Amino acid sequence: MTQRITVIDYGMGNLRSVAKAVEHVAAGNDEVLVTDDPELILASDRVVFPGQGAARDCMAAISDHHLNRAVLDAAQSKPFLGICMGQQVLLEFSEENNGTELMGLIEGRVRRFPGGTAPDGEALKIPHMGWNQVHQGYDHPLWAGIGQDSRFYFVHSYYVDPEQQALVAATTDYGVRFASAIADRNLFAVQFHPEKSADAGLQLLRNFISWNPT
């Protein structure tokens, strides 16, 4: 079956690498579209919501592109994958920039890493940047074919802290144990970058393309 997979373009995020990774794992007759058109986003079969940068800048860009309603509607109505800042802005509030109101789809806050030291005594640098293990919290279709504690690529200084811990689909340790993936019905969102995470990341994208949440 032919399907349209849309990557939301609001002017922030490494859209080319995300789109190329999705195209790499998509079926030959699938369409991968990068767009900021709300109507096209809502007409799509699946939606990928990437992002990077500061929370306040991302929220301003989403508003400037008139995408607030389209993002919220898509996140509640069709298979939806949030990546990095595309995960964080789904929550209510970020500590970044002395406080930034977010989209409010998921109850909770985005917190700054406290720093500290690793088990070997080395100082933990902020941002958290590089490869780290992702510990799956339960059996979810997007983890199919991905081993427990597989390593994914991260670049971030803040992490999500949802109020409902039942939404936490995976955790990662970096001074604190934080939610590196959250899931709620048709929504799955990750702090890491699957498009930069080699075979494990491509497998997650492949799973997303075939995922049929009930």
Side-chain angles (χ1 to χ4, degrees):
M1 181 183 71
T2 300
Q3 59 179 341
R4 174 185 290 169
I5 307 158
T6 291
V7 179
I8 297 178
D9 178 9
Y10 58 100
M12 301 187 71
N14 193 355
L15 300 180
R16 180 177 296 275
S17 63
V18 172
K20 289 296 183 184
V22 173
E23 289 172 353
H24 181 74
V25 299
N29 56 346
D30 286 343
E31 178 189 5
V32 178
L33 177 68
V34 178
T35 184
D36 67 349
D37 186 325
E39 292 186 5
L40 291 176
I41 292 167
L42 293 175
S44 299
D45 299 293
R46 300 175 188 276
V47 173
V48 180
F49 183 42
Q52 60 189 33
R56 184 168 296 169
D57 292 342
C58 283
M59 289 301 298
I62 291 167
S63 180
D64 289 345
H65 287 254
H66 307 291
L67 288 171
N68 300 68
R69 179 47 53 192
V71 170
L72 289 173
D73 286 353
Q76 297 175 86
S77 65
K78 59 190 68 204
F80 184 97
L81 176 64
I83 298 174
C84 194
M85 186 55 70
Q87 180 203 47
Q88 293 186 13
V89 297
L90 298 175
L91 276 74
E92 296 175 299
F93 182 83
S94 174
E95 295 179 349
E96 193 171 0
N97 301 119
N98 295 316
T100 300
E101 296 290 334
L102 304 176
M103 302 194 78
L105 180 64
I106 295 172
E107 295 179 343
R109 298 172 71 90
V110 178
R111 304 186 185 278
R112 182 172 172 81
F113 279 114
T117 57
D120 61 4
E122 184 177 351
L124 294 173
K125 297 178 181 179
I126 300 173
H128 171 216
M129 183 166 61
W131 297 86
N132 205 341
Q133 290 181 320
V134 171
H135 187 82
Q136 301 164 23
Y138 56 89
D139 187 21
H140 189 281
L142 265 69
W143 297 133
I146 300 172
Q148 180 65 286
D149 295 324
S150 291
R151 298 175 72 82
F152 290 81
Y153 190 82
F154 291 82
V155 183
H156 62 124
S157 299
Y158 294 78
Y159 63 92
V160 299
D161 183 15
E163 288 190 10
Q164 293 181 265
Q165 289 302 299
L167 300 183
V168 178
T171 57
T172 296
D173 280 319
Y174 195 72
V176 295
R177 180 170 285 274
F178 67 93
S180 48
I182 55 178
D184 186 18
R185 299 182 297 274
N186 60 292
L187 179 150
F188 198 90
V190 298
Q191 183 61 67
F192 52 82
H193 289 269
E195 76 280 6
K196 298 180 180 179
S197 297
D199 291 344
L202 291 176
Q203 182 62 42
L204 188 142
L205 293 175
R206 189 176 292 111
N207 293 339
F208 171 70
I209 288 171
S210 63
W211 178 37
N212 292 306
T214 55

